[in-house]
Every structure is written in structure tokens, then in C-alpha cells.
Amino acid sequence: MTFSQFGKQLTGSSGIVDLMEDLGQALNQNPDMLFLGGGNPAHIDAFESCIAQHLTAFAQTPEQLHKLVGVYQSPRGNETCIDELVSYLKQRLDWPVRSKNIALANGSQSAFFVLINMLAGHFDSSSRGSVKKICFPMMPEYLGYSDQGIADDMFCGYRPKLALMGEHQFKYTIDFDQLTERDDIAAYCVSRPTNPTGNLITDNEMEKLSQLARQQGKPLIVDCAYGLPFPGLVYEKATLPWDDNTIYVLSLSKLGLPGVRTGIVVGNEQLITNFVAANTILSLANGNLGPMLLTELLKAQQLDYLMEKVLLPFYLAKRALMLQQLETQLQGLSYRLHKSEGAFFVWLWLPDLPISSHELYLRLKARGVLIMAGEHFFFGLDSAWQHAQQCIRLNFCQSQEVIVKAIAILADELKNLTEAKKKTAKKLGV
Ligand SMILES: Cc1ncc(COP(=O)(O)O)c(C=O)c1O
């Protein structure tokens, strides 16, 4: 069988497919694997029992049940859910939005597929002309964007500035000097908090970025999967002002609902109308479960309660455990952690790592620990950067037992590598 260019694009090797294979193996087939890999949120009983109550109510109310399984949603998405969202976004973020500013999608991943290819790619019908790109002002960025472009070479990105803090911390910031106007850029995109680093682009940086995007006449996409308005996994003060040149992409996944596949796009009316048309061609309609659950959580005013009283304390405790384990077990090793400001990842920089982060991933996998190699998250850079080979991402959603065991194995592997490096250096007399 031969495949078209589009077919080849989507069937070639892909970081996100490998990541989801690992995740599927660890979470569904081989539960003994110590999983600090993909982006699955934690299992939180209190959250799931609240969801269970709503599911029971759906099943027991014939009219609700029919809405859940027996009808296609209209193209923009479940109207009641969108109306509830309008009130919520007005009240929580003071956004001047109407229902025409919102569209639903089957997960934010597929919303991104539409947005990326709607805004960037070839701008003439010959498909031979130059390609306009999605630009990431600060790499590393979410790996899941990297294979979504249907033309070649649809992404570009810039290295961040590194601010070193104390002996074992650092933070990336946007290097605005690099963001000069370029004809080949169609739109800017950031995830906030950032997957993989847990960095929270500051309010000040966001303001500068949105001004710059507006001045250059390019939209700015803000991926809010982990942040405001929900699930609110931010550990620093942050705001998210409305800007009609910005496209906000929200998701229910990191609240604890990755299985319902619901994404939400909020933007100016023209953008949303076009998004809805493209999404309907691709998906026909969105699934009903996520929007119906969100409607109930909003109507019952449970969403903020769950975020503030259930999710945030849970993730803060996990984060504290992970940071404490790393601090204890990595003693004597050369390492720095990105300041943990949001999401549920820790980004570990190993400046003296003698192998690539991918090789470290393979060695740890062989010992039953899954992590994410950092190098895949630098896909937008046009030149090699050694730093990219020296970082790994650790998910801290798992049980205390898993985190403690996995970090012990990681520390042991790093100590072995350091010893081996020292021995080789001694042999060579350096
Ligand atoms: C930054 C970011 N954006 C988007 C997604 C896609 O999420 P979903 O399609 O489940 O909404 C993910 C998933 O891990 C993510 O980490």
C-alpha cells in the first residue's frame, strides 16, 4: 500500500505516538512499570466519586440519558454547556465573552490539529510555495504539537534564557530579543503552565507577548491545559486577561477527565466560526459526555470547589514529595530542577549527563522506570543544543511508593553513569 504525503506525515515515526504507547503499556497492560512518563493526570477518589454521582444521575434520567447517547451535538457544541461556560468565564476571569466566542472539540489535541493547520502551512493552492509556521517563543514545548502539521517544516521556536537560582534550581524565560518580525510566522503558541517544564510564563511576559503578536498582526495561541481557568494547577500568582487576538485552548483532561476527550476553544467570533466549520468536517460532532459533565459541575458550582479543595492540595502534596525525594536521593550529583510553578511535572536538568536523555530513558525503561526524555520537546529549534540532551521530565501523579522507588532507581543509574565517566576520565588521564 502506498500513502499520500498526508498519509506519510501521519504514519511516520512520532514522539507523541511513542509516548502514548509507553503510557498505554504502563497504565493498561503492565502495571508493574514505575510510571513517571506521559501526561496522564492522577487518580483522585474524591474527584471521581463526584463524577460518579453525575453519571448515575444521567443513567437514571431518561431525558439526560438520551441526550448523552442518542443525539449528535450541534456543530459549535452543547449549547447549555457553552452558556454555562460564558457565565463562568465572565465571573472567574472577567472575560467579555458570548456564546459565539466558544467552540467545543473532541479533546484539545484535535482542536490543535485544526488550529495549527488552519493558521499555518501553505498559503497558495500549488502547495509548492513557502510554508508559514507556528512559532514557539520559548522551547521546550509540548511534544504533541510537533507532528500535527500537514505540511513539512511547520514549526519554529527559540531557545529560552536561563536564570540559575541557588545551587539546584533554574528557570526559563522568554528571550524577547529573538522575536523579531518574520514573514514566515503565521501565529505564536505557548502552553501555560508549560508542558514539559512546569514553567509559568509570567503575567509580564504574557502581556509583552500579546502586544508583540498584535503588533505583528499574528494570533497568539495559549494552551491552558494545566492552568487557568481550569484545572488551575498553578503554584504561583497568575492572571489570564482577555485579548481578542488570543486563542485560548482549554481542556477537561487534566481535571481528571482525559477519557471524555473534551477540548474548548475560546477566541474572537470570526476565528470560532471558522474553527467550527473545520471541526465539523473532521469530527461531524463532539462527544456528549464531557460537555454534559462540565455543565453539571458548573451548574452545581462544584468546579471551583474541586479545583481549590481537592486537586490543588493533592498536587501540591505530590509535588512536595517528588521534590523532597529528588533532593534527598540526588545528593552529590550535578543537577538542577526547573522552578516548579505549575502542571504536574518536574523538569530535571543534568548538566554532566554523559549520555543523551533518550539513552537515559532507554536504560531506565530496562529497569522498569518510565520517564520522558527531554530532547523531544525541543522540536522547534533549527540548530542542535546540548542542553536538550541533558533534561528529563518526571510526572508526579503516581503513588508515594512508585515515586520513591522510581527516584531511587533514577539516582542509582545517574550515580553509575557518573562513576563510569570518572573511571574513563582517569584511564584517559584527564
Ligand atoms: C500542553 C498540552 N496541551 C494539550 C494536550 C492535549 O490534551 P487533550 O487532547 O487530552 O485535551 C496535552 C496532553 O497531554 C498537553 O500536555
Side-chain angles (χ1 to χ4, degrees):
M1 197 185 299
T2 54
F3 288 130
S4 66
Q5 192 53 35
F6 176 74
K8 285 184 197 137
Q9 200 91 26
L10 293 186
T11 54
S13 79
S14 146
I16 196 71
V17 175
D18 295 347
L19 178 155
M20 292 309 284
E21 286 282 351
D22 269 358
L23 187 151
Q25 285 254 337
L27 299 185
N28 303 317
Q29 292 162 32
N30 181 4
D32 292 338
M33 209 72 185
L34 302 173
F35 182 73
L36 308 185
N40 212 87
H43 177 180
I44 305 178
D45 285 336
F47 178 80
E48 287 195 0
S49 64
C50 172
I51 297 301
Q53 285 170 14
H54 292 302
L55 290 176
T56 309
F58 294 160
Q60 288 172 349
T61 319
E63 194 195 324
Q64 292 272 72
L65 183 64
H66 179 63
K67 267 176 73 185
L68 176 63
V69 299
V71 284
Y72 286 120
Q73 254 176 65
S74 36
R76 192 180 295 278
N78 179 321
E79 288 85 356
T80 326
C81 178
I82 290 180
D83 289 344
E84 287 294 331
L85 268 169
V86 166
S87 322
Y88 181 77
L89 294 173
K90 271 188 182 149
Q91 172 239 313
R92 186 164 158 81
L93 296 175
D94 205 17
W95 283 3
V97 285
R98 307 192 298 162
S99 59
K100 288 185 171 171
N101 296 107
I102 300 179
L104 305 186
N106 287 318
S108 66
Q109 185 76 12
S110 62
F112 270 103
F113 183 80
V114 172
L115 288 171
I116 286 170
N117 291 297
M118 221 166 80
L119 296 171
H122 288 287
F123 276 72
D124 66 25
S125 53
S126 73
S127 84
R128 281 193 300 273
S130 61
V131 160
K132 288 202 183 192
K133 303 173 203 289
I134 302 289
C135 174
F136 303 103
M138 180 164 64
M139 301 303 297
E141 258 299 355
Y142 171 49
L143 163 71
Y145 308 133
S146 69
D147 296 301
Q148 288 208 318
I150 59 174
D152 286 334
D153 200 19
M154 272 179 59
F155 302 103
C156 63
Y158 295 104
R159 292 184 192 185
K161 283 187 178 168
L162 266 76
L164 303 185
M165 301 156 138
E167 203 186 339
H168 288 303
Q169 234 189 17
F170 76 110
K171 178 172 163 66
Y172 295 132
T173 57
I174 299 177
D175 184 354
F176 281 96
D177 291 343
Q178 297 185 81
L179 301 187
T180 49
E181 183 142 16
R182 277 172 52 174
D183 288 344
D184 63 343
I185 290 178
Y188 290 102
C189 177
V190 291
S191 59
R192 184 184 191 239
T194 308
N195 175 2
T197 54
N199 189 9
L200 188 75
I201 296 175
T202 62
D203 281 358
N204 193 17
E205 286 176 304
M206 285 304 291
E207 197 183 320
K208 269 175 105 171
L209 202 53
S210 56
Q211 270 174 16
L212 180 136
R214 184 179 288 280
Q215 272 160 15
Q216 296 185 3
K218 301 176 176 156
L220 168 65
I221 307 172
V222 182
D223 183 343
C224 308
Y226 299 85
L228 300 175
F230 45 79
L233 303 180
V234 289
Y235 313 128
E236 303 278 318
K237 280 227 167 328
T239 60
L240 190 63
W242 171 255
D243 172 5
D244 66 4
N245 187 50
T246 295
I247 304 162
Y248 305 84
V249 184
L250 282 43
S251 169
L252 298 192
S253 294
K254 312 302 172 177
L255 277 170
L257 295 169
V260 305
R261 309 304 306 127
T262 300
I264 301 156
V265 183
V266 190
N268 68 54
E269 290 184 19
Q270 189 209 359
L271 178 279
I272 294 298
T273 306
N274 288 299
F275 175 87
V276 167
N279 192 44
T280 305
I281 289 172
L282 271 180
S283 300
L284 189 61
N286 301 308
N288 291 322
L289 181 56
M292 281 178 68
L293 283 172
L294 180 60
T295 307
E296 297 308 313
L297 292 176
L298 290 173
K299 272 190 181 161
Q301 303 199 332
Q302 286 172 326
L303 186 65
D304 286 356
Y305 173 84
L306 287 168
M307 285 195 297
E308 283 155 28
K309 302 282 185 239
V310 177
L311 302 191
L312 198 56
F314 178 95
Y315 283 109
L316 280 171
K318 290 277 176 208
R319 167 180 172 261
L321 171 72
M322 175 62 101
L323 294 177
Q324 179 258 327
Q325 283 301 307
L326 288 165
E327 194 187 334
T328 317
Q329 309 221 39
L330 299 189
Q331 256 179 40
L333 290 165
S334 148
Y335 76 92
R336 281 185 186 272
L337 296 171
H338 192 284
K339 191 162 173 250
S340 166
E341 300 175 317
F344 41 65
F345 307 113
V346 161
W347 181 248
L348 174 61
W349 174 24
L350 301 159
D352 295 329
L353 189 67
I355 55 176
S356 71
S357 66
H358 183 68
E359 280 172 69
L360 179 61
Y361 153 83
L362 291 175
R363 280 172 182 245
L364 290 169
K365 190 172 177 183
R367 294 183 65 176
V369 178
L370 277 179
I371 57 142
M372 277 299 301
E375 57 204 74
H376 310 296
F377 296 92
F378 292 84
F379 57 90
L381 296 184
D382 59 6
S383 62
W385 187 23
Q386 211 185 359
H387 177 82
Q389 303 286 334
Q390 300 168 340
C391 297
I392 59 173
R393 191 194 75 180
L394 308 171
N395 174 318
F396 55 74
C397 292
Q398 299 299 316
S399 68
Q400 171 157 359
E401 194 196 347
V402 169
I403 292 178
V404 172
K405 271 194 196 163
I407 299 304
I409 296 173
L410 167 67
D412 185 60
E413 194 61 41
L414 293 176
K415 280 174 192 152
N416 292 343
L417 284 166
T418 310
E419 280 309 309
K421 189 178 167 183
K422 272 191 199 150
K423 273 190 196 151
T424 317
K426 208 169 162 192
K427 249 193 215 159
L428 297 172
V430 282

